[in-house]
Amino acid sequence: MSVATKILSFAEVSDHNNSKDCWLVIGGKVFDVTRFLEEHPGGDDVLLSSTGKDATDDFEDVGHSADARALMQEFCIGDIDLSTLPSKPTYTPASQAKYDPDKTTEFVLKILQFLVPVAILCLAVAVRVFTKKSE
């Protein structure tokens, strides 16, 4: 297991974002996974999609085995300078749509499209029942 002593900036790491040169930031460490791209069980697209950002959450969400965690240590090339990492985007929930009185007519039309045929059917049944000759 190599000791990572080199400190790399996020800008430097994010330049390595293609299949010929792929670096990832996971848990504050920088990994050169270029030679592992073809061997990765999930395919190279999974690793390439995690470049240019802190891939810690992506890595942890998958639930890698202890063997995978041990294997990744051989790809470690240094530590990330945490002050250069971009801040995580904050989630802002969408605001609720305002009441639009123009949509009320759409609602009324939908109700009428259901009720008018039901009313016609009821009327037809009533006419049939009351006009039927007694036998």
Side-chain angles (χ1 to χ4, degrees):
M1 184 160 115
S2 64
V3 176
T5 56
K6 187 173 182 184
I7 305 293
L8 301 159
S9 72
F10 182 74
E12 182 180 357
V13 172
S14 47
D15 287 339
H16 303 270
N17 59 3
N18 59 62
S19 60
K20 301 209 184 302
D21 189 20
C22 183
W23 291 8
L24 297 177
V25 176
I26 301 173
K29 305 247 183 246
V30 179
F31 299 90
D32 182 353
V33 294
T34 308
R35 67 181 198 260
F36 185 66
L37 287 175
E38 292 182 12
E39 300 170 28
H40 188 262
D44 61 348
D45 289 341
V46 174
L47 297 175
L48 290 170
S49 68
S50 296
T51 61
K53 64 179 182 177
D54 184 352
T56 304
D57 291 339
D58 295 345
F59 180 81
E60 296 298 336
D61 287 347
V62 174
H64 287 88
S65 66
D67 290 339
R69 292 176 187 279
L71 177 65
M72 69 186 273
Q73 294 310 314
E74 72 182 69
F75 299 105
C76 185
I77 59 171
D79 292 325
I80 190 74
D81 181 359
L82 296 176
S83 66
T84 62
L85 278 176
S87 61
K88 288 188 178 182
T90 56
Y91 173 73
T92 306
S95 60
Q96 187 171 357
K98 303 239 187 283
Y99 173 71
D100 186 3
D102 293 336
K103 291 198 176 192
T104 303
T105 56
E106 289 178 25
F107 178 70
V108 170
L109 284 175
K110 286 183 181 182
I111 289 178
L112 287 176
Q113 286 175 342
F114 173 74
L115 289 180
V116 169
V118 169
I120 291 172
L121 180 64
C122 290
L123 181 62
V125 169
V127 167
R128 174 78 175 144
V129 168
F130 291 115
T131 58
K132 185 176 181 183
K133 292 182 182 180
S134 301
E135 292 179 21

